[in-house]
């Protein structure tokens, strides 16, 4: 797992603080190259350590494989993909990666996760 830079560690702690404060709709924004996916992998690992399941959404189908590659490089390997005909589709995995477009489609809105 990559070691987080100071700014990433600070952002992660602020996100955790928001969760501890009971906030439910938390948004984090950062520029390209900040390492948002590295940060997300840290959050996923924390959730998994507590037995949680994770749905990680990306804004475009083209970012699915890139996200999976980054998660794998960070040690997050229990990943399934919610996308038609993707080789990693596996609803049993506790971490799911999906695009917003896929989740909005009628085929996936009715599926229970």
């Amino acid at each position: 797992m990559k070691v987080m830079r100071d700014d990433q560690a600070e952002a992660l702690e602020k996100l955790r603080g928001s969760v501890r404060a009971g906030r439910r709709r938390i948004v984090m924004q950062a520029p390209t190259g900040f390492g948002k996916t590295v940060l997300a992998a840290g959050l996923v690992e924390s959730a998994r350590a507590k037995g949680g399941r994770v749905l990680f959404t990306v804004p475009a189908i083209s970012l699915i494989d890139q996200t999976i590659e980054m998660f794998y490089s960070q040690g997050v390997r229990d990943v399934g993909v919610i996308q038609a005909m993707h080789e990693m589709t596996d609803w049993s995995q506790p971490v799911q990666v999906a695009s917003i477009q896929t989740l909005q489609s009628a085929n996936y809105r009715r599926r229970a996760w």
Side-chain angles (χ1 to χ4, degrees):
M1 188 161 197
K2 287 184 183 178
V3 175
M4 288 189 197
R5 298 185 317 259
D6 289 344
D7 58 345
Q8 292 170 319
E10 180 182 348
L12 182 60
E13 190 48 45
K14 286 180 179 180
L15 288 168
R16 287 181 173 149
S18 291
V19 171
R20 283 191 297 271
R23 294 184 183 96
R24 301 213 39 198
R25 292 176 178 88
I26 303 163
V27 175
M28 189 208 114
Q29 177 180 333
T32 301
F34 177 81
K36 294 180 291 289
T37 310
V38 171
L39 192 66
L43 288 170
V44 169
E45 282 297 310
S46 294
R48 292 296 306 129
K50 296 175 185 169
R53 293 176 59 85
V54 176
L55 172 61
F56 187 83
T57 59
V58 295
I61 290 172
S62 62
L63 295 174
I64 295 270
D65 293 330
Q66 177 182 326
T67 300
I68 293 165
E69 286 176 25
M70 180 57 74
F71 278 2
Y72 266 65
S73 74
Q74 293 296 107
V76 178
R77 301 246 159 84
D78 49 355
V79 178
V81 174
I82 301 173
Q83 179 185 333
M85 301 185 49
H86 194 284
E87 62 188 13
M88 290 184 65
T89 297
D90 182 352
W91 290 88
S92 71
Q93 294 296 331
V95 178
Q96 295 290 320
V97 178
S99 71
I100 298 299
Q101 297 96 319
T102 297
L103 294 176
Q104 289 175 334
S105 75
N107 292 334
Y108 288 99
R109 273 187 282 172
R110 291 184 224 127
R111 175 113 185 187
W113 180 46

